[in-house]
Structure formats: structure tokens, C-alpha cells
Amino acid sequence: MTRQLVAGLAAGALIGAAAMYVGTRPATKSPTTTATTPSTSQAAPGPGSAAVAASFAPPLAAKAPADAFGDAVRLGERLITDTATVAPAYVGNGLVCSNCHLDAGRQAGAAPLWAAFVNFPAFRKKNGEINSFQKRVQDCFLYSLNGKPPPLGSRELLAIESYAAYMARGLPSGMSPPGRGFPAIAAPSIPADDRRGAAVFSEKCASCHGPDGAGMTIPGDRSYPPLWGARSFNWGAGMATIDKAAAFIHANMPLGQAGSLSVQQAWDVATFIDGRVRPQDPRFTGSAQATRQQHHDSPFSRYGTIVDGELLGNAATTPAAGGQTGKLRHGPPPRAGGA
């Protein structure tokens, strides 16, 4: 069985290598407290992609073939939904991949894996390199999971790649199908504000994520991820940038009530969440100001800025990158409407 699984994982890698990138996503800007232009966190669809993918439904992992490749696909799904259990050596916080890639990476408008897969290899501005799909997943472990990236070619990365490749079957490579990334979000009518964001969080989010943003585990239900603090994503994660967080929140939260928040509420609560203390950026240079200049020179990052009298990213008060300190808080079941 082990030999068959390895063979299946290798098959997934070959499928991944076949997906070729023919274009890059244009850089866009969106508002925080000072900017005024709208944002999009979804790449523009390529020519003809709408006709191909408008009704695209990725296949279920449970229907993958009963062979080594199918075993790899099902392992990949488990890694997305139960990351720390399946790959504990590589996770350093209280999140799993499906906290951002909803419905096990299947849901359109919530960074679905199938839509991303067909656009790799690709140049990525974040690291200035051509990235394979596996390299892109490594960065999720490093930043969003505040952990250690599995090695390229590892059992874990090959399984996730196999799962994404299986779901993407039928899509043309090199196009950004509808549903990739997060839907575009318009500019707020007034600049985003921490006080309004705190009120939105208290009303719409705290019942699941906890009043202190530390996340909660509801016995018999599920775990809700920490949004800031030592057990959250670190400063290098995409969700630590306000425009991406606002787009995700507006399209997908509160859980079960997607689209119920106004554009203004999404920007306000994203600004509030991304103005809290969280683990250090793994690219930290020894100075918050220098790290901001090199990696966070954007109106959508609050790293290296002062919020409520505290310098975000200050080494003295910022949890270490890759840490495994702290625990999820336990509490009563959430009230209806919690994010």
C-alpha cells in the first residue's frame, strides 16, 4: 500500500507539472483609512474561461479512483481539513487550511484550490520567483499556518497537489476561472475605522472567534480559528493584509450568512482584525520599520505602524514566528450569525 501511495503521489506531481501559466495577476490597490480606489482579490478570467468554468463543479475526493492516486487525493483532502492532525510537524498555530479555503478547498470565491492549480507555475511578486504549485502551498504553511513548510516532493505536498489536480480536471490551464481567489470588493463609502470594526466584530464574529479573537473549540461542533494573537496567522500571511481580508469576509462571513455584511462593515472589521498583535513575519530583519519597508510597504498592511499606542511587529511584544504556544479557548455554542 505504501508503494502504491508513493506512486499515486508521484502521478499527482506529474499532473501538477503539466499546468502552465500564461499570464500574471495585475497588482491592484484598495482603500484602508487613506486609500480610495476599489480592490479585487480575484484574478481577471482569461479569454473564454467563463464559458468553460461558469458551471464548473469539482469532483469529490470520495469519488476518486480506488487506486494509489485516489489514495493520494483523499490524503490531500484530509490535509486541507485536518492539517495539524495529519501534518503536526508543519503547523504552528490553531488554523487548518480549510479556514480560508472553504469547503475543503472546493468553494468558489473562497480561494478554491482547483482554480489556483491551473495557474501554476507562475511568477509571484511576494518572493520574486517562478513558483510551482507546491512552492505556493509551502508558503501557506510558513505564513498562514505559522509553521514549517514541508519539503518539496514530500508526501504532504504531493498529496495536496494531487487533490488540487484531481479537482481541476476539465479546466484549461493558464486561465483564471470564475471563482478564483476572492470576489472583488468595492471601496467603502467612508474610510475604514477601528472603532466601528470592533463593534462589527463584537456583534457578528466574537460568538465563534471569541471576544479576544483567540478562537474557540465548540465541543461536538467544530473549531473556529483565532484571528489574532499567538495562535493566529502571522504577519506574512495574505489575511494580514486588509484588502484581502475584507474581500474574504464580505464574500464568505459570517459563516452560514455569507454576503450579509455591507461593504463598509467588511472593511471596518478587516481593518480592526489586521490591527491586532499576531506572530512575527518570518522575514523579520530585526527591525519592524525595516521589515515594513521591505515586505509591507502597502496601505493595506498595518505592520510597522502604531495602533492603540503599540508598534505592530515590535520584537519585544510580537509572538515568534513558527511558535506553538497558547491554546484554543473553550466556550458555549455560538449564537446564530457568528462568523
Side-chain angles (χ1 to χ4, degrees):
M1 177 62 72
T2 299
R3 181 176 299 174
Q4 290 178 330
L5 179 57
V6 170
L9 292 171
L14 291 174
I15 293 172
M20 299 304 295
Y21 181 81
V22 298
T24 56
R25 187 184 306 192
T28 58
K29 290 188 176 181
S30 56
T32 60
T33 55
T34 56
T36 58
T37 52
S39 161
T40 176
S41 294
Q42 176 180 340
S49 64
V52 174
S55 59
F56 181 74
L60 294 168
K63 295 185 177 181
D67 57 16
F69 178 68
D71 291 342
V73 168
R74 286 179 283 274
L75 175 60
E77 183 186 46
R78 287 184 58 215
L79 281 159
I80 297 300
T81 59
D82 199 11
T83 320
T85 300
V86 184
Y90 302 115
V91 179
N93 62 15
L95 280 75
V96 298
C97 298
S98 57
N99 290 143
C100 297
H101 304 278
L102 300 183
D103 189 22
R106 296 172 51 82
Q107 184 169 313
L113 300 181
W114 48 266
F117 177 80
V118 294
N119 282 275
F120 284 88
F123 176 81
R124 195 163 185 235
K125 184 179 179 181
K126 186 167 186 172
N127 56 27
E129 299 175 355
I130 300 295
N131 287 195
S132 65
F133 184 80
Q134 285 194 27
K135 170 58 180 168
R136 180 64 187 88
V137 176
Q138 278 189 321
D139 280 359
C140 287
F141 278 90
L142 179 63
Y143 299 120
S144 297
L145 297 176
N146 193 36
K148 174 184 176 183
L152 294 174
S154 65
R155 167 180 175 268
E156 291 79 12
L157 292 186
L158 284 167
I160 292 172
E161 186 174 47
S162 297
Y163 176 51
Y166 173 74
M167 288 195 292
R169 287 181 173 180
L171 287 177
S173 64
M175 292 184 179
S176 292
R180 184 185 179 194
F182 310 136
I185 183 171
S189 56
I190 55 177
D193 178 81
D194 279 315
R195 287 177 296 179
R196 289 195 308 269
V200 174
F201 182 85
S202 179
E203 180 183 355
K204 301 291 187 178
C205 313
S207 59
C208 290
H209 296 287
D212 54 2
M216 292 200 303
T217 297
I218 309 300
D221 182 11
R222 59 185 297 167
S223 294
Y224 296 87
L227 301 182
W228 67 83
R231 293 284 287 165
S232 187
F233 50 88
N234 66 42
W235 277 110
M239 280 294 177
T241 56
I242 298 169
D243 57 337
K244 291 182 178 66
F248 173 80
I249 291 167
H250 185 246
N252 298 291
M253 294 290 133
L255 198 63
Q257 296 185 14
S260 63
L261 296 181
S262 69
V263 167
Q264 186 67 56
Q265 286 176 313
W267 279 104
D268 286 341
V269 75
T271 297
F272 169 71
I273 290 169
D274 283 346
R276 308 297 101 190
V277 172
R278 63 185 61 261
Q280 185 62 267
D281 191 323
R283 303 165 295 180
F284 182 60
T285 64
S287 160
Q289 291 86 348
T291 303
R292 176 177 177 82
Q293 184 175 8
Q294 187 171 356
H295 300 293
H296 297 273
D297 187 17
S298 163
F300 310 123
S301 175
R302 304 186 81 178
Y303 183 94
T305 67
I306 295 176
V307 177
D308 293 337
E310 182 166 5
L311 175 65
L312 297 176
N314 179 4
T317 57
T318 301
Q324 300 204 32
T325 59
K327 295 182 179 180
L328 287 178
R329 197 170 64 83
H330 290 267
R335 65 177 184 271

